[in-house]
């Protein structure tokens, strides 16, 4: 484990969300002070400064990134919103704005929450490594914009400029305050929609406990240095074993 970086200020874009709030809580435990940037405020915590705004607005971002050396970007429209224009505006153009704001504000490290689905073509992937190519036919438009977003962030990694980036790719995230994954499964079961087996019943899907996802983000952030091999790279993140589905 790494030493906490006491007195460091970081920002969590999307810090009001499910993953973002868990990340904020762990960062506080580790001695960081945190600026949350989000279109909504969902809680209050000592040590956290909230900045309400849209990440497509560079000026709004700049005021939240003042004196910040490390940024986590875990904001996205919900995949279920199924709104092409919104995904494109927030995940692609908004991420370009985030990168530009980081550069203007002198931020040194950017950690992106990507998604394991960026390499999913609709066929089985078991023990898939990061050398898998991006999906040529992504499963939906949300995933297509997650691919573009990840490429933008990783290509922005620039050691001479002192701007280092890394991406973490979780698949389904579960844990306390999960607003989507488990509640959606429970609803489906209650409505009798879980009586069917697709395939031969041996399908696997990867779910990761939210604290493990948070841990992966913080390890990546704290190891991101100019001499580190993780600069500009994506990392899958998972529990030890996939869950039988
Ligand atoms: P969430 O919806 O709980 O949180 C996302 C947050 O982003 C929300 O608080 C929302 O208000 C904020 N946001 C949305 N648009 C914004 C904008 N334009 N400007 C500022 N803030 C904005 O989602 P989550 O489950 O916590 O997901 C976090 C990240 O993890 C996302 O990037 C998502 O793609 C990724 N991810 C999630 C899962 C999962 O199973 N939950 C799996 C893989 C990847």
């Amino acid at each position: 484990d790494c030493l906490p970086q006491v007195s460091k200020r970081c920002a969590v874009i999307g810090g009001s969300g499910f993953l973002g709030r868990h990340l904020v809580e762990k960062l506080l435990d580790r001695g960081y002070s945190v600026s949350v940037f989000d279109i909504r405020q969902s809680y209050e915590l000592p040590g956290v400064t909230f900045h309400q705004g849209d990440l497509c607005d560079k000026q709004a971002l700049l005021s939240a990134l003042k004196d910040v050396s490390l940024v986590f970007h875990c904001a996205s429209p919900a995949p279920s919103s199924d709104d092409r224009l919104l995904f494109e505006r927030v995940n692609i153009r908004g991420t370009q704005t985030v990168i530009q704001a980081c550069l203007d504000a002198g931020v040194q490290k950017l950690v992106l929450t990507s998604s394991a689905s960026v390499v999913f073509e609709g066929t089985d992937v078991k023990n898939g490594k990061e050398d898998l190519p991006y999906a040529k036919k992504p499963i939906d438009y949300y995933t297509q914009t997650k691919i573009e977003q990840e490429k933008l962030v990783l290509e922005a990694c620039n050691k001479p400029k002192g701007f280092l980036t890394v991406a973490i790719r979780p698949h389904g995230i579960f844990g306390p305050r999960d607003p989507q994954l488990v509640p959606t499964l429970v609803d489906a079961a209650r409505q009798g929609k879980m009586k069917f087996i697709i395939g031969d019943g041996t399908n696997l899907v990867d779910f990761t406990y939210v604290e493990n996802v948070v841990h992966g983000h913080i390890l990546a952030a704290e190891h991101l240095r100019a001499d580190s091999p993780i600069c500009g790279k994506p990392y899958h993140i998972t529990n030890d074993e996939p869950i039988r589905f």
Side-chain angles (χ1 to χ4, degrees):
D1 214 355
C2 307
L3 290 173
Q5 302 195 347
V6 181
S7 88
K8 290 268 177 173
R9 172 162 283 280
C10 62
V12 179
I13 303 173
S16 292
F18 168 49
L19 173 63
R21 181 172 171 186
H22 281 280
L23 184 56
V24 169
E25 288 171 350
K26 185 55 98 188
L27 288 165
L28 293 172
D29 281 355
R30 292 178 71 80
Y32 290 85
S33 60
V34 184
S35 294
V36 165
F37 184 91
D38 202 296
I39 35 174
R40 64 189 174 113
Q41 179 173 355
S42 62
Y43 59 96
E44 274 179 44
L45 268 180
V48 179
T49 320
F50 277 91
H51 299 261
Q52 207 164 340
D54 188 321
L55 62 82
C56 301
D57 175 353
K58 193 169 95 174
Q59 291 311 318
L61 276 171
L62 283 175
S63 65
L65 299 187
K66 223 164 170 251
D67 301 325
V68 164
S69 55
L70 164 62
V71 172
F72 295 91
H73 176 7
C74 55
S76 170
S80 56
S81 67
D82 204 25
D83 181 337
R84 282 176 81 104
L85 289 178
L86 183 66
F87 293 144
E88 197 175 287
R89 187 178 76 83
V90 177
N91 288 349
I92 303 181
R93 293 201 301 280
T95 296
Q96 285 170 326
T97 308
V98 167
I99 292 167
Q100 200 50 56
C102 285
L103 292 169
D104 290 1
V107 168
Q108 287 146 25
K109 304 181 193 184
L110 173 61
V111 179
L112 173 72
T113 313
S114 179
S115 169
S117 59
V118 300
V119 297
F120 184 57
E121 293 273 15
T123 50
D124 292 351
V125 178
K126 202 171 172 187
N127 298 323
K129 300 279 184 304
E130 290 78 2
D131 57 4
L132 284 169
Y134 287 113
K136 285 192 196 69
K137 288 185 198 147
I139 45 167
D140 53 21
Y141 199 68
Y142 160 80
T143 305
Q144 193 173 320
T145 61
K146 293 295 284 183
I147 293 175
E148 295 308 318
Q149 173 189 55
E150 187 187 280
K151 287 184 185 167
L152 286 167
V153 168
L154 298 182
E155 282 164 11
C157 189
N158 188 326
K159 291 183 191 178
K161 273 193 189 163
F163 182 58
L164 307 179
T165 64
V166 65
I168 300 297
R169 295 173 174 171
H171 190 242
I173 307 172
F174 70 96
R177 302 188 300 255
D178 161 21
Q180 267 177 51
L181 188 81
V182 174
T184 308
L185 289 177
V186 170
D187 273 0
R190 286 215 172 103
Q191 291 172 30
K193 292 183 182 165
M194 302 280 266
K195 292 179 199 152
F196 311 100
I197 293 178
I198 299 171
D200 61 5
T202 59
N203 298 343
L204 298 174
V205 68
D206 188 49
F207 293 136
T208 306
Y209 186 61
V210 65
E211 284 192 9
N212 291 339
V213 180
V214 165
H215 188 59
H217 280 69
I218 295 179
L219 282 180
E222 293 183 349
H223 285 82
L224 194 52
R225 287 183 295 267
D227 59 355
S228 159
I230 74 171
C231 290
K233 300 261 171 62
Y235 288 90
H236 294 160
I237 179 100
T238 181
N239 298 315
D240 278 353
E241 287 293 328
I243 293 169
R244 196 162 286 283
F245 191 50

